[in-house]
Amino acid sequence: MEQELLEIGAMALKRAALNEEAKNFVLQNEILFKTLKKAANRYIGGETINETIISIRELNKKGFTVTTDFMGESIRNEKDANDATKEFLNLGKSIKASGVNSSISLDLSHIGLLVSKELAAENLNAICEVAKKSNQEVIISMEGTDRTDLILDLYKETSKNHNNIGITIQAYLKRTKEDFQEVSQLSGSIRIVKGAFETPKGLSIERGEKLDEVYLEYVEQLLAKNHKCSIASHHEKIHQETIKLINSYKPTEYVLERLLGIRNEPLEDIKDKGYNCRIYVVYGKEWYLYLCNRWAEYPLNLFRGIWDIVNK
C-alpha cells in the first residue's frame, strides 16, 4: 500500500511538472512563488549567475568539483534560444573570472535544437569556444527518446572540432548498448545516468536489479579503459559498487556525481576518503519543473519541502 501511494505521488508530481498552466500560475503569483521557492532553494544554486558562483565556491571549498546548468529546455523560437546561449556564454566567462572549478552542462533543446539543428550547432560551438578558454568542459544532457538521435549526431559532429565536449547516456534505453560502443570510441567525457524520462513501451529497461547490472557494466567498461566519465547516481548501491571497481582498476579520469541537495552528505563521506566527487548545480528562475521532478523521484521529499517552507 505504501509503495502504491509513493508511485501515485510520483506520477502526480511528474504531471504537475509538465503542466504549463500550473507553472505560469506559480511564476505569476508572488506569494506562492516566494513560498515554493523556499523549498526549491535546497536544490538550486541561485536565480542569477552571481548567486550561483557563490554556491559553487562554497562547494569547491568543501573539495567538490561542480558542473553548472542554467535551467531550461524545449525552447521553440530562435530569440529565446539565443538568449539562453548568451546566458551560458556569460556563465562561462564568470566561471573563468571568478576562478571557481566548474564545468558547464546544458540541454540542446535549451539552445535551439527544436528550432533547427543548425541553430543548436552554432550556439553549441560558441559555448564550447568560450569554455575552452578556461579549460572548462561542456557536457550535453540527454532528453526524451524523440531527440536521442539528434543529440548524439550533434555531439559527434561538434566533437570533431572541440575536445572539451562530453555527452550523457541513459543506461535504461535498450539502444544504448549500440550507442555506447560508438561514443566510447570518442575522447569526450561520458556521463552515465539511469534515465528518468517516460518512454514508449519496449524501448527501456525497468528500474531494478537488471538495470543496475546494465548500468554497472557500462561503468566498468569506462573505468577499465580510464575513459573520462561521470557516474551520476543517487543510488547508494551504484556508487558503492563503483568504488569497488575504482579500487580494482585504479582510474583517474572519473567523478562520482550527484545533484545539489540530494544525498550530498554520503557523497561528502566518499569524497573525504579520497574519491573524485562532483555536484551538479542548476540555477535560474525555471525551478518549478525542476522542483516537481526532484519530489517525483522520491515523493517523501515533499515533507522535507514543507519543513523548508515553514522554517525559512
Side-chain angles (χ1 to χ4, degrees):
M1 182 64 176
E2 181 180 334
Q3 184 60 35
E4 182 182 352
L5 288 173
L6 287 173
E7 290 175 0
I8 291 172
M11 186 179 300
L13 286 162
K14 287 180 180 179
R15 289 179 179 175
L18 297 175
N19 189 317
E20 288 292 324
E21 289 185 4
K23 183 182 81 169
N24 291 333
F25 181 76
V26 169
L27 293 177
Q28 293 168 15
N29 187 301
E30 184 178 356
I31 295 176
L32 188 55
F33 180 90
K34 288 182 177 179
T35 300
L36 286 178
K37 176 65 164 39
K38 293 178 181 179
N41 283 337
R42 176 179 293 274
Y43 307 107
I44 67 175
E47 289 192 2
T48 67
I49 289 177
N50 288 341
E51 290 173 357
T52 306
I53 291 295
I54 294 172
S55 298
I56 296 170
R57 184 174 285 111
E58 289 303 310
L59 289 167
N60 288 165
K61 287 179 181 177
K62 292 181 179 180
F64 289 109
T65 58
V66 172
T67 187
T68 307
D69 187 357
F70 171 53
M71 283 183 286
E73 59 184 15
S74 299
I75 295 296
R76 298 183 185 275
N77 67 79
E78 185 172 347
K79 180 185 181 302
D80 287 347
N82 288 337
D83 285 346
T85 300
K86 289 176 184 176
E87 181 72 13
F88 279 112
L89 294 174
N90 287 333
L91 172 62
K93 293 172 184 176
S94 295
I95 289 171
K96 180 180 180 181
S98 63
V100 296
N101 185 337
S102 177
S103 56
I104 294 173
S105 288
L106 55 81
D107 288 317
L108 289 179
S109 69
H110 197 183
I111 60 170
L113 187 65
L114 301 186
V115 180
S116 74
K117 185 178 177 182
E118 292 72 24
L119 177 63
E122 180 181 344
N123 287 337
L124 180 60
N125 275 302
I127 294 168
C128 286
E129 284 292 339
V130 166
K132 187 183 299 183
K133 294 177 181 177
S134 55
N135 296 317
Q136 298 165 20
E137 188 177 46
V138 177
I139 308 166
I140 298 172
S141 297
M142 194 49 74
E143 306 181 43
T145 54
D146 58 324
R147 304 171 189 177
T148 305
D149 283 324
L150 275 172
I151 291 170
L152 288 172
D153 288 347
L154 190 48
Y155 165 67
K156 286 180 283 189
E157 290 175 14
T158 307
S159 65
K160 294 176 183 177
N161 299 314
H162 298 283
N163 60 8
N164 63 327
I165 190 167
I167 188 68
T168 303
I169 63 167
Q170 301 175 102
Y172 77 151
L173 293 183
K174 294 178 180 179
R175 63 168 289 169
T176 295
K177 184 175 182 180
E178 183 176 337
D179 294 332
F180 178 82
Q181 295 306 317
E182 189 169 7
V183 298
S184 64
Q185 298 304 311
L186 304 174
S187 61
S189 176
I190 296 175
R191 174 197 283 139
I192 309 178
V193 300
K194 284 188 177 179
F197 297 95
E198 291 187 17
T199 67
K201 189 175 181 180
L203 296 186
S204 60
I205 304 166
E206 290 186 5
R207 285 187 175 250
E209 289 188 9
K210 174 60 178 176
L211 178 54
D212 291 349
E213 291 174 6
V214 170
Y215 185 104
L216 288 168
E217 285 173 5
Y218 292 134
V219 171
E220 182 166 12
Q221 290 182 63
L222 291 169
L223 296 179
K225 295 193 301 182
N226 198 26
H227 192 294
K228 194 170 186 179
C229 63
S230 170
I231 296 86
S233 175
H234 302 108
H235 191 173
E236 204 62 39
K237 171 190 171 183
I238 291 294
H239 274 174
Q240 291 304 321
E241 291 299 316
T242 297
I243 287 170
K244 293 177 184 178
L245 293 170
I246 292 169
N247 292 339
S248 175
Y249 291 108
K250 309 296 183 184
T252 56
E253 297 292 330
Y254 75 89
V255 290
L256 300 165
E257 181 181 303
R258 290 184 183 174
L259 296 171
L260 179 66
I262 301 181
R263 297 191 61 76
N264 291 170
E265 292 82 4
L267 189 65
E268 189 161 0
D269 292 337
I270 293 171
K271 170 188 62 65
D272 290 344
K273 292 176 182 177
Y275 298 96
N276 305 332
C277 295
R278 180 164 73 190
I279 300 292
Y280 191 119
V281 173
V282 301
Y283 79 96
K285 295 186 177 181
E286 293 287 330
W287 49 259
Y288 169 79
L289 180 149
Y290 192 79
L291 175 62
C292 288
N293 282 333
R294 299 293 73 79
W295 282 348
E297 290 168 352
Y298 186 58
L300 290 180
N301 276 333
L302 269 170
F303 294 103
R304 189 182 294 276
I306 293 170
W307 173 266
D308 290 336
I309 288 169
V310 301
N311 284 281
K312 292 182 180 179

